Each structure stands twice: as C-alpha cells, then as structure tokens.
Amino acid sequence: EGIPYFTRHEDVSLNYSQLKQVVADNEWKTKLEACNCVYVITDKSNGKQYVGVTYKGSKAGAKGGILSRWTEYANSGHGEDVSLKKLGEGDSNYAEENFQWPILETLPLSVIPAIAINIETKWKEKLMTKVFGYNNN
C-alpha cells in the first residue's frame, strides 16, 4: 500500500503501514511539521477510539507538530499510551491490523498547551472516548 496523496490535514486518515511511510517521506514530513492537531486513533476491530493532541512541549518533544507524536506511533504502534499498549500485549501486529489515524482538527504550532488540552477534552466528550473508548483521562 503506497503513501496517499496529501490534499489537506483534515482529509488525513492513515493505516499503520501508511503512517510508517508518511513520517519518513519528505513531503509529508513538511506538512506534518507545519501544525499541531487533535487526532483520533480508531480501532477497526471494535470501533473504540482514542483521542490525542499535539502541542509544543507535549510528550513527543518540544517542536515538530504532528510529526513528532506520530513518529512515536509509527515506531511502536501505541506511542506508549497505556490503553493502546495493553492491546498489543501478546499481539505485536495489533496496531498494524486494527488502527487508523485520522486528524480531527488542526491547531497552530504556537497553540498554548492549556488551550490544546481543552480542545482535546471537547473532542473526547463529543466522541465519548472516556466512556466507550480508550481514553483514561
């Protein structure tokens, strides 16, 4: 499966194979470094979702927009998220077989962390990912 053509951030929805390819592709890297985002990881086996956000100073490094965080997912499949990591125990191909990475909303590179987290929380509430998904907080 090849790399999809980039049209705009809100059209991005990648499977694990594509995710691994785009974080290494120069054109895609430029696009993913250009902004932060709220994203959702959908588990195609059961419909459960995990909502995450990227912002300056977040877990994946002080800069790099979406690229930094998604590179972590590309490297491990779970990005060290406790709930997602647990799914892969005993099945190293879980992310490859089941996860999809869409972007829900873009945020500026300079977004204030508290604002980014607030927007992420609203998406968690809208998609009910704490009740029916993989978000623990």
Side-chain angles (χ1 to χ4, degrees):
E1 210 171 330
I3 298 177
Y5 180 75
F6 183 91
T7 52
R8 62 188 190 120
H9 290 93
E10 290 80 6
D11 293 338
V12 171
S13 184
L14 306 168
N15 63 35
Y16 188 54
S17 172
Q18 292 168 327
L19 179 73
K20 287 168 58 167
Q21 292 174 64
V22 301
V23 299
D25 180 80
N26 287 335
E27 183 180 338
W28 270 87
K29 283 167 79 170
T30 301
K31 306 290 187 190
L32 296 176
E33 287 175 325
C35 63
N36 285 300
C37 76
V38 178
Y39 60 90
V40 61
I41 300 172
T42 301
D43 186 334
K44 296 181 286 185
S45 74
N46 58 24
K48 290 186 177 184
Q49 298 176 316
Y50 173 89
V51 172
V53 67
T54 65
Y55 54 88
K56 185 176 179 179
S58 61
K59 189 165 31 172
K63 56 185 188 281
I66 303 164
L67 180 64
S68 292
R69 184 68 179 123
W70 280 18
T71 298
E72 287 187 346
Y73 286 116
N75 290 336
S76 68
H78 52 68
E80 298 302 320
D81 290 309
V82 175
S83 297
L84 302 180
K85 196 172 185 178
K86 206 176 285 186
L87 293 170
E89 289 176 359
D91 183 358
S92 60
N93 294 327
Y94 195 88
E96 187 172 343
E97 294 168 0
N98 297 299
F99 288 169
Q100 191 79 16
W101 280 264
I103 292 175
L104 298 173
E105 180 178 351
T106 57
L107 304 172
L109 281 178
S110 61
V111 67
I112 297 166
I115 291 173
I117 292 166
N118 186 45
I119 295 168
E120 175 194 32
T121 299
K122 288 186 188 318
W123 276 105
K124 288 176 185 177
E125 291 168 359
K126 287 179 182 180
L127 298 176
M128 300 181 75
T129 60
K130 287 192 211 177
V131 178
F132 299 110
Y134 295 130
N135 285 104
N136 296 318
N137 59 352

